Amino acid sequence: MVDKSKVIICRCNDVTQKDIEDLIDQGITDIEMIKRITHIGMGPCQGRTCIPLVAAIIARKTGKSYDEIGIPPTRIPTQPVQMRILVGDDDEE
Amino acid sequence: MMKNKVDIAIIGGGIIGLYTAFELAKRGVENIAVYEKRYIGSGSTFRCGTGIRQQFGDEANIKMMKRAVEKWTNLGDEMDFPNFKMAKTGYLFLLYDEKEVKTFKRNVSLQNSLGVPSKVITPEEAREIVPTLDISEVIAATFNPTDGKANPFLAVYGLARKLRKMGIEINEYTEVKDIIVKDSQVEGVKTSKGEVKADIVLNAANAWAKIFNEKLGLNIPIEPYKHQGIVSEPFKLGEIKPMVVSFKYGGAYFTQKANGGLIGGIALKYGPTWDLTPTYEFLREVSKNFTRIIPALKHISIIRQWGGYYAETPDHNAVIGKIKEIEGYYLAAGFSGHGFMLAPSVAEGMADLITKGHTNLPFDFYDPYRFERGELREQAVQMG
Ligand SMILES: Cc1cc2nc3c(=O)[nH]c(=O)nc-3n(C[C@H](O)[C@H](O)[C@H](O)COP(=O)(O)OP(=O)(O)OC[C@H]3O[C@@H](n4cnc5c(N)ncnc54)[C@H](O)[C@@H]3O)c2cc1C
């Protein structure tokens, strides 16, 4: 039996499979709410790894289809950008 | 199954709608339902800057916020959700010229007279609070240690969890299409999932509130403006504890969240508009202004940017109260950039107004009829 508290779903914010399943067991099955409580999809990788995994867990545990689950919007910038680059000050260093 | 008859129907599952439902439930009103067209918090509440401050420039907002902070402090316990905590990390306003200093000194004396422990401090003292600040142009600052921030996700989640335990119905993905009125009396709401009878309806739809008001022939000026926020990658915790505010640099405000990321924004706004697309102009201006305040931020990366509504009125103060023309219709909307922080006292006052007909909180200040009387309030101190 895998220890679900050791299975990392989101490496940016250190969220485990157990964290996600506990929320679903409490009745929180909306991916938007799971995102806000655990911060999945909100770290530097913008959900590239975790969102599909979380969607799969929700689908398995609730029987919802992927269409019903939906995908939270990706926010810009899709890759982290340093502020010095945005202010046009990238000649330092 | 959704109930088809309730005592009080609340439109909007943001912090105002949910907190008011909680205050009503505490007063023993159980047959309440909240209707939210998307998911709870999805309006402005989940898009906010998390800031909670008592440093306002007028008596009403200071009193409301003093009460709100007392309530924020106890909310975690009250909703049996100790994960939720207000962080009392303070608000630090950086001041750059004599005129600003004069206004803020006046504000601080008013705040002190009402029991808020804010004070005027030197630039060096400001740098003791936030060591990375560039104080070369700063001539003074104000700091209030009992201001701070709280996580809106946990506030909303905790309230909803508690409300559901108390038997209060929260209907997500349920849009209110119309408020049903007959002979100038509220009779209920028409929703995307059917009609519900109710003698009392609270419009807590904030940016969307005017849609209902217009349909009912009420002319109350609340307009949606696009504001934006950013979050950075996490960095060493404790670097930027308070909310730092600089009117000189873009009306910038920012603070470090519990996970180490920076959250904040500037005063740049667009509207009135329903468009929420993030703009590159904002990203660039944020970077320019933030790095003037703390140069070391140049090396920090922004990871997310989003748009959200400020529901604005002409004096940047909300519209809260009973609507005289329609019996049973109440409004609490138009919170500009400070509806999250005010929610506990707005909810308390609104619950008293509905159940007892009056509140001891200074609701007159937010009177929906002030505009038609031409009585604008002094502009609320506002960032962003
Ligand atoms: C970038 C930004 C930064 C901010 N920073 C701060 C800050 O630091 N501190 C602070 O105090 N405030 C801040 N604010 C303001 C704060 O977010 C709002 O004032 C507050 O969230 C208002 O709460 P509310 O419940 O009135 O509105 P909302 O959270 O918008 O809730 C209204 C709800 O009504 C729902 N709704 C609308 N129409 C219907 C309908 N027909 N049927 C059913 N439901 C409907 C919406 O979906 C929405 O969820 C900020 C806002 C933004 C955009």
Side-chain angles (χ1 to χ4, degrees), chain B residues 11-17 35-52 91 174-177 204-208 212 227-229 243 253 306-310 332-333 335-342:
Chain B
I11 309 173
I15 193 71
I16 298 289
Y35 304 93
E36 167 52 54
K37 68 174 173 171
R38 292 183 66 210
Y39 52 90
I40 48 173
S42 62
S44 296
T45 300
F46 279 177
R47 295 160 191 271
C48 88
T50 75
I52 297 175
Y91 253 72
T174 309
E175 182 173 357
V176 175
K177 303 280 189 190
N206 203 33
W208 295 268
F212 295 104
H227 282 251
Q228 297 169 70
M243 186 73 84
Y253 62 94
W306 64 90
Y309 300 122
Y310 269 31
F335 287 95
S336 286
H338 31 264
F340 178 66
M341 60 178 84
L342 277 165

Side-chain angles (χ1 to χ4, degrees), chain A residues 13 23 26 28 30 32-33 35-37 39 41-44 46 75-77 79-84 86-87 89 92-93, chain B residues 39-40 46-47 153 156-157 161 173 257 259 262 278 280 283-284 287-288 290-291 297-306:
Chain A
N13 288 312
L23 286 174
Q26 280 178 47
I28 313 286
D30 190 330
E32 292 285 358
M33 205 64 199
K35 162 179 152 183
R36 262 78 182 192
I37 296 168
H39 288 83
M42 299 170 84
Q46 287 267 28
R75 307 287 187 204
I76 62 166
Q79 300 276 356
V81 200
Q82 284 194 3
M83 290 198 216
R84 69 190 173 90
L86 292 162
V87 297
D89 180 15
E92 247 185 44
E93 288 167 87
Chain B
Y39 52 90
I40 48 173
F46 279 177
R47 295 160 191 271
F153 306 148
V156 161
Y157 167 62
R161 184 168 156 266
Y173 301 98
K257 300 189 299 163
N259 79 345
L262 189 77
Y280 178 69
L283 199 55
R284 201 185 53 223
S287 308
K288 223 193 263 171
F290 283 17
T291 56
L297 287 174
K298 280 186 185 163
H299 304 287
I300 296 296
S301 292
I302 293 176
I303 60 174
R304 297 171 69 75
Q305 176 191 357
W306 64 90

